[in-house]
Amino acid sequence: MSETIEHVKCLIIGSGPAGYTAAIYAARANMSPVLYQGTQPGGQLTTTNEVENFPGYPDGVTGPEMMLELQKQAERFDTDVRDGWVTKVDFSGPVHKVWVNDTKEIHCDTVIISTGASAKYLGLESEQKYLKLGGGVSACAVCDGFFYRNQEVVIVGAGDSACEEAHYLSKLCKKVTMLVRRDEFRASKIMEARVRNTENIDILFNTNTDEVLGDGQVVTGVRVKNNVTGAVSEIPATGFFVAIGHKPNTDIFKDYLELDETGYIINVPGTSRTNVEGVFVSGDAADHVYRQAVTAAGTGCMAALDAERYLAAKEAEVHV
Ligand SMILES: Cc1cc2nc3c(=O)[nH]c(=O)nc-3n(C[C@H](O)[C@H](O)[C@H](O)COP(=O)(O)OP(=O)(O)OC[C@H]3O[C@@H](n4cnc5c(N)ncnc54)[C@H](O)[C@@H]3O)c2cc1C
């Protein structure tokens, strides 16, 4: 083996709640995990100022603070946390090969994928401005809906997730206006019916978002345009929710792992196992349903335990 190739017992890709939790468990099981953080150290939560639903923080915590604490906990047990982006993998043989920054080659006994997913946004300048300010734009109703109790919000999207999120918001907010670009939903009939039958959800079809309006700090409304009549109007709102889908960060795995049509990695139900032995998945990279920090952390724990049991079984085979 060339000197430039490193051998690692447990490689973890990603530094969100899934990756760090996997690291804590793997390190405490003597698996000497190496974790690559990627371009977003700490993951998606570093983009939010208020996390109120992660157990153990009775007064809430900012996302960056919580993720630094998770990193510290992983490092306390000697996880080797590194800066770097995994650019290529080869899972075709018995040794799993991973390349970091297109140069460094690592051979791994086990790989835990915790690369998360990215929420899709409309891409409007005003949307991105209030998103970065933490001023009322969100891609997660379950995470942020609570902050808009008894207020009026707008949600954009037409699929099952959008309907589910609109319905969730309707139980907290005074009024939810749902913007649907076409003249029909993409959602299943049952989800559509749920939204249509909810009194405080107002659905606007053939409607595009023109601009997210605000006072420079927080959202105050949304300007919309009917794409059939051309009519422009403004909807007062303190929150603007985007529910047009997520993109799992899984492109580099597609030649080896089974993915669903959106790109989520398919795991063996009830486990973190993928279709490749020794490769495990945790967090949002495999989860299009819950997408929460606590579920990501839970599956990170599962992945480390599954990896540890896989290695133990292989060692036992050698000694038989
Ligand atoms: C604005 C916002 C607010 C949220 N608020 C809450 C909340 O209040 N409560 C809650 O429970 N959930 C919240 N969520 C959801 C929560 O952040 C996610 O469910 C959670 O972060 C998923 O964790 P993860 O570890 O799977 O992935 P992520 O947090 O997405 O982390 C993925 C990691 O993988 C790394 N990565 C990706 N590709 C590569 C690669 N090729 N090589 C190396 N590294 C790579 C990235 O750098 C990143 O570190 C929020 C999400 C957003 C966007």
Side-chain angles (χ1 to χ4, degrees):
M1 193 184 285
S2 143
E3 271 183 17
T4 55
I5 298 176
E6 184 183 3
H7 180 262
V8 163
K9 205 169 181 183
C10 177
L11 186 84
I12 299 169
I13 311 173
S15 56
Y20 281 138
T21 306
I24 293 164
Y25 277 78
R28 295 183 79 253
N30 275 343
M31 291 165 76
S32 312
V34 170
L35 178 150
Y36 277 95
Q37 290 184 308
T39 49
Q40 192 178 43
Q44 291 175 63
L45 273 192
T46 56
T47 64
T48 182
N49 280 327
E50 286 166 302
V51 181
E52 292 194 331
N53 54 9
F54 198 86
Y57 295 98
D59 301 319
V61 61
T62 71
E65 215 180 317
M66 182 180 131
M67 294 316 300
L68 275 180
E69 293 202 346
L70 279 178
Q71 179 175 347
K72 265 199 254 166
Q73 195 173 351
E75 286 175 331
R76 185 181 145 211
F77 301 108
D78 292 336
T79 302
D80 186 350
V81 176
R82 299 180 186 173
D83 187 18
W85 182 254
V86 172
T87 42
K88 196 171 89 170
V89 300
D90 179 351
F91 295 156
S92 60
V95 173
H96 303 312
K97 299 177 184 170
V98 169
W99 284 264
V100 180
N101 298 335
D102 277 326
T103 48
K104 187 176 173 54
E105 182 174 344
I106 304 179
H107 288 187
C108 319
D109 294 338
T110 60
V111 177
I112 296 178
I113 298 169
S114 313
T115 48
S118 309
K120 290 184 191 164
Y121 290 93
L122 298 176
L124 295 170
E125 214 174 285
S126 51
E127 168 205 59
Q128 291 303 306
K129 173 179 161 184
Y130 288 105
L131 174 69
K132 287 189 183 112
L133 282 170
V137 172
S138 170
C140 180
V142 175
C143 311
D144 297 327
F146 189 75
F147 302 119
Y148 300 91
R149 283 187 317 280
N150 304 319
Q151 298 175 40
E152 297 190 8
V153 299
V154 169
I155 181 166
V156 54
D160 276 343
S161 293
C163 289
E164 198 165 295
E165 301 220 340
H167 191 251
Y168 182 88
L169 289 169
S170 73
K171 293 196 231 138
L172 297 165
C173 303
K174 192 155 77 181
K175 184 180 170 195
V176 178
T177 305
M178 193 168 186
L179 310 181
V180 177
R181 196 157 41 97
R182 296 190 302 170
D183 60 356
E184 59 182 3
F185 280 99
R186 278 189 302 105
S188 56
K189 290 292 167 217
I190 188 159
M191 293 306 291
E192 175 177 346
R194 194 181 291 174
V195 164
R196 284 187 185 274
N197 295 334
T198 304
E199 222 169 83
N200 63 340
I201 299 181
D202 197 10
I203 306 161
L204 301 183
F205 288 103
N206 296 315
T207 302
N208 290 359
T209 308
D210 223 20
E211 207 70 73
V212 178
L213 307 171
D215 63 5
Q217 289 301 316
V218 294
V219 170
T220 55
V222 181
R223 192 169 66 228
V224 299
K225 187 173 183 179
N226 185 299
N227 55 38
V228 175
T229 65
V232 173
S233 56
E234 288 185 7
I235 306 165
T238 49
F240 180 68
F241 287 85
V242 187
I244 57 172
H246 284 75
K247 182 174 182 340
N249 305 316
T250 57
D251 285 354
I252 52 169
F253 309 113
K254 67 176 187 297
D255 291 339
Y256 303 98
L257 299 186
E258 274 174 29
L259 310 180
D260 73 7
E261 67 280 2
T262 315
Y264 287 98
I265 294 171
I266 298 174
N267 57 304
V268 177
T271 78
S272 67
R273 297 204 310 270
T274 67
N275 58 300
V276 175
E277 277 208 2
V279 178
F280 304 88
V281 64
S282 60
D284 285 13
D287 176 12
H288 59 93
V289 180
Y290 301 106
R291 292 194 297 249
Q292 292 296 291
V294 70
T295 46
T299 53
C301 157
M302 287 166 66
L305 293 179
D306 286 343
E308 197 265 323
R309 285 167 194 168
Y310 164 80
L311 285 179
K314 280 197 88 164
E315 259 169 46
E317 271 171 30
V318 171
H319 292 110
V320 169

